[in-house]
Amino acid sequence: MLQGSNIFGHERPLVIRVSFATCVLVTVCLPLLGLITCVLISSVFHFEDATGTHCQVPNYLPSISASISLSPECHIWRFCIGLHSAPRLLVAFTYFKFYKTRFAAKFPENSLSCLNLAFSISENLGLLLLTYVSSSETYFVHKEGFVLFIISSLIYMSITCRLWKAIKKYSLSPEDAKSHHWKVRFLLLNVCFCAFAGFFYWKHNMYCESGSYTFFALFEYLVVFSNMAFHLTAVWDFKSREVMVVSSSEDKDF
């Protein structure tokens, strides 16, 4: 929503208001649509390159790393993540401020809120690293970025569930209870999908069995989708909040 007018020759500040729920939805949809687009393009136009394995066994799904390392897929993915990263940090600091206000004099929740912010930023950095350094360019750096993303996201989600358990305990809001309930569910799903993805990745590298890498790719998708679903619960947490940008014509400040 835009607000602004000219009254008696004096311009009022331009105010842009966007609901926080819309901001969260757009932030989550950017990597979701980017990933789906990259996987579809890879599967249709670059199937052989995207599904090839080091031991030449049949594989029917491209992994995420393979899908985002080809062209034009890598450019689509980098564009989506580039737009996604700034609002992601905005959400992280909004949560941090919310937790600090809620747990101002409580231990260990006050300390956990600081760790929560640190691992949220770490998760975002891991995502940026694996995005802008593809597996076809520098595999070791890409792999480390992926590991950083997975470990940081699991710790972040675990701490978030712990904080919302405390919030639910002293809250009468059904939205808070629903948010905690689904956060725990998505965390458990994410852990299970990570375990299955790790198992099939190990099985493929150890035995080069046909289909193992396909199952790894499938569970890798599910890891990412459950991660996105977890972050989407912020829609319930900040349902009544707004993101507001104010532009003043007098001093050109925002």
Side-chain angles (χ1 to χ4, degrees):
M1 182 172 66
L2 297 174
Q3 292 181 347
S5 63
N6 190 309
I7 302 177
F8 302 115
H10 296 284
E11 289 189 5
R12 292 177 59 185
L14 177 66
V15 180
I16 303 173
R17 295 176 183 268
V18 180
S19 71
F20 205 91
T22 302
C23 182
V24 169
L25 192 61
V26 171
T27 302
V28 173
C29 282
L30 279 168
L32 174 62
L33 295 176
L35 178 60
I36 292 173
T37 303
C38 290
V39 171
L40 287 176
I41 293 174
S42 296
S43 300
V44 174
F45 298 104
H46 306 131
F47 185 77
E48 294 297 327
D49 291 332
T51 57
T53 63
H54 71 280
C55 51
Q56 305 301 314
V57 294
N59 175 36
Y60 307 102
L61 281 177
S63 67
I64 293 175
S65 294
S67 297
I68 65 174
S69 64
L70 301 168
S71 182
E73 295 93 304
C74 66
H75 305 298
I76 295 171
W77 178 248
R78 289 172 182 178
F79 175 75
C80 291
I81 296 303
L83 292 177
H84 160 87
S85 58
R88 177 76 173 271
L89 289 174
L90 172 65
V91 173
F93 280 99
T94 302
Y95 266 118
F96 177 67
K97 185 177 179 181
F98 171 76
Y99 294 143
K100 278 294 184 182
T101 303
R102 200 75 177 248
F103 303 118
K106 290 185 179 180
F107 182 84
E109 287 83 4
N110 192 280
S111 299
L112 286 174
S113 64
C114 296
L115 281 176
N116 188 262
L117 175 64
F119 282 106
S120 179
I121 294 172
S122 178
E123 180 187 4
N124 200 32
L125 290 175
L127 180 59
L128 288 170
L129 187 61
L130 71 88
T131 294
Y132 290 98
V133 182
S134 69
S135 59
S136 60
E137 293 171 341
T138 309
Y139 176 74
F140 174 77
V141 176
H142 176 84
K143 180 182 176 182
E144 293 303 309
F146 186 79
V147 170
L148 177 64
F149 169 76
I150 292 296
I151 293 175
S152 297
S153 67
L154 286 172
I155 297 174
Y156 166 78
M157 288 189 285
S158 299
I159 295 173
T160 300
C161 287
R162 169 63 180 80
L163 290 171
W164 279 89
K165 181 181 179 181
I167 290 171
K168 186 188 74 168
K169 185 178 180 181
Y170 300 105
S171 174
L172 298 177
S173 170
E175 291 289 327
D176 291 343
K178 180 170 71 172
S179 179
H180 174 256
H181 173 77
W182 282 104
K183 280 179 170 62
V184 172
R185 282 194 172 189
F186 290 136
L187 171 61
L188 293 176
L189 284 173
N190 192 265
V191 170
C192 291
F193 295 148
C194 281
F196 279 115
F199 169 73
F200 283 111
Y201 184 77
W202 169 82
K203 195 175 181 182
H204 168 74
N205 286 315
M206 286 295 293
Y207 304 109
C208 280
E209 289 184 1
S210 176
S212 290
Y213 205 77
T214 301
F215 280 109
F216 161 71
L218 174 62
F219 282 108
E220 189 183 31
Y221 299 159
L222 294 175
V223 167
V224 173
F225 292 151
S226 58
N227 177 279
M228 291 177 184
F230 185 95
H231 288 290
L232 196 58
T233 60
V235 169
W236 295 320
D237 302 338
F238 302 108
K239 193 174 183 179
S240 60
R241 302 289 182 92
E242 287 185 329
V243 178
M244 185 170 63
V245 179
V246 181
S247 173
S248 172
S249 61
E250 294 181 2
D251 52 16
K252 308 298 182 187
D253 287 339
F254 284 87

